[in-house]
Amino acid sequence: MTLIPLRRLRPPPAAGPFSGPPLVDPQARAVKYLRVSLTDRCNFRCTYCMPEAGVEHVQRRELLTLEEVALVVRAFAAWGVERVRLTGGEPTVRQGLVELVAELSRIPVGSNPVENKPDRRLQVVMTTNGARLQELAAPLFSAGLAGLTVSIDSLDPIRFREITRRGELSQVLAGLEAATAAGFRDIKLNTVAVRGFNDDEVGPMATWAWARGHVPRFIELMPMSGGRLFVPGELLAAADLRRAVAAHVGAALVPDAGEGLRGLGPATYWRVDDSVHAGPHSSPHAGQRLGVIAAMTENFCASCNRLRISATGQLHNCLARDDTGDLRSVLRPYDPEALESRVRAILGHKRPGHEFRIDGQGGPDKAMISIGG
């Protein structure tokens, strides 16, 4: 594929380098990870993400411009953020995505320019439904995107269509092939596990991913949208997820110590341990890794290192709470001192954890599509 030279985003307002101490919340948790939603629109209508009646989309003028996104991400990188994840809605429907990735991937981490080195650049990753990867994978890789997470909840085309309401599985699979061909080596697959719907695919999904060099990750259903999309009996707990995979591969799962039990994000990583059956008859899956994101049954709030910015510039301390603070008003017109003051004030209200309950209560009114998970 011949790539057209990227259009550089307009330069940010002259403000000098950002400075200031790292971002630390009242529980002494350092913020290293920022998730940025680029749009509240999506080409799918996943049942756990968007109410059947849909959502009221914001006007284009309410969205942060790509230049404003780059500006605010540059500030967060100066305050210690090491990774930014682009989300949606569906980020690939936002025009200018490739140019934005190119801009963000050049941002140094840390506030001291003397200490900034090429290997201390911001890590830019993205979560996508994969529908547009066939055309975008190569340009995104060339632009500097470091990793992809692709949501895929079933390998059955009919089930896939049912849960996405309009997605085509073949299109996503072609996108995954294109991403691998483009050079991506850090591809994770996110599967929201639903009891009675796709729980019989948990084991096969894991082995299918491993065969293609991907890392499967399974997510517990969460009571977003005020619990309206949550059916308590459909929750497949993390322990049951692991048992299903272990039974499918015929080997135990043990905590993965390769990068610590937990990575930079919310997933806990496990690997297939076949040491008991080591030898010529050992499992072909020995050593393979999978992730589990278990907000409901294995709370990970104590290690939370994340903040979220919505497409309209609202800073969210927590996916599971509705309290937010507005950053757009200090970007229009741009006021660097007010931006830092606003961010630190909002962070000062970050709570110890969420209030999700197994019965589906305790969640936020916001829909997943409005904040990007």
Side-chain angles (χ1 to χ4, degrees), residues 165-247:
R165 293 195 178 108
R166 61 175 59 181
E168 295 294 337
L169 178 62
S170 59
Q171 197 174 30
V172 177
L173 299 185
L176 282 168
E177 291 180 4
T180 299
F184 283 102
R185 295 296 176 264
D186 180 18
I187 299 177
K188 298 181 175 69
L189 305 184
N190 276 359
T191 299
V192 176
V194 182
R195 190 181 296 278
F197 179 75
N198 62 355
D199 49 340
D200 60 327
E201 293 192 70
V202 169
M205 180 71 78
T207 53
W208 184 90
W210 293 331
R212 290 156 180 78
H214 308 325
V215 178
R217 306 200 310 176
F218 300 98
I219 304 173
E220 290 182 339
L221 194 63
M222 291 175 278
M224 302 295 288
S225 300
R228 294 185 296 277
L229 309 182
F230 186 84
V231 179
E234 293 182 348
L235 173 65
L236 188 61
D240 294 329
L241 286 164
R242 292 192 293 270
R243 276 193 288 268
V245 175

Side-chain angles (χ1 to χ4, degrees), residues 117-317:
K117 300 176 182 179
D119 61 347
R120 287 286 290 164
R121 298 290 171 179
L122 189 68
Q123 182 188 49
V124 185
V125 295
M126 184 179 74
T127 295
T128 173
N129 61 29
R132 297 197 64 208
L133 276 183
Q134 199 167 6
E135 59 186 286
L136 288 174
L140 286 168
F141 184 79
S142 296
L145 192 69
L148 277 170
T149 298
V150 179
S151 299
I152 179 169
D153 296 312
S154 177
L155 293 172
D156 180 289
I158 297 176
R159 281 183 179 173
F160 186 86
R161 180 78 176 189
E162 182 179 345
I163 200 167
T164 62
R165 293 195 178 108
R166 61 175 59 181
E168 295 294 337
L169 178 62
S170 59
Q171 197 174 30
V172 177
L173 299 185
L176 282 168
E177 291 180 4
T180 299
F184 283 102
R185 295 296 176 264
D186 180 18
I187 299 177
K188 298 181 175 69
L189 305 184
N190 276 359
T191 299
V192 176
V194 182
R195 190 181 296 278
F197 179 75
N198 62 355
D199 49 340
D200 60 327
E201 293 192 70
V202 169
M205 180 71 78
T207 53
W208 184 90
W210 293 331
R212 290 156 180 78
H214 308 325
V215 178
R217 306 200 310 176
F218 300 98
I219 304 173
E220 290 182 339
L221 194 63
M222 291 175 278
M224 302 295 288
S225 300
R228 294 185 296 277
L229 309 182
F230 186 84
V231 179
E234 293 182 348
L235 173 65
L236 188 61
D240 294 329
L241 286 164
R242 292 192 293 270
R243 276 193 288 268
V245 175
H248 184 73
V249 302
L253 298 181
V254 295
D256 179 40
E259 59 179 68
L261 184 61
R262 190 180 300 283
L264 190 61
T268 298
Y269 286 93
W270 302 73
R271 61 180 172 81
V272 178
D273 177 26
D274 199 33
S275 58
V276 176
H277 306 290
H281 302 295
S282 63
S283 169
H285 307 297
Q288 295 283 11
R289 299 172 67 245
L290 73 143
V292 178
I293 301 176
M296 299 294 287
T297 66
E298 297 175 359
N299 190 305
F300 45 78
C301 296
S303 62
C304 183
N305 60 357
R306 296 171 296 288
L307 291 174
R308 292 170 169 80
I309 298 178
S310 75
T312 58
Q314 304 301 306
L315 182 62
H316 295 244
N317 279 324

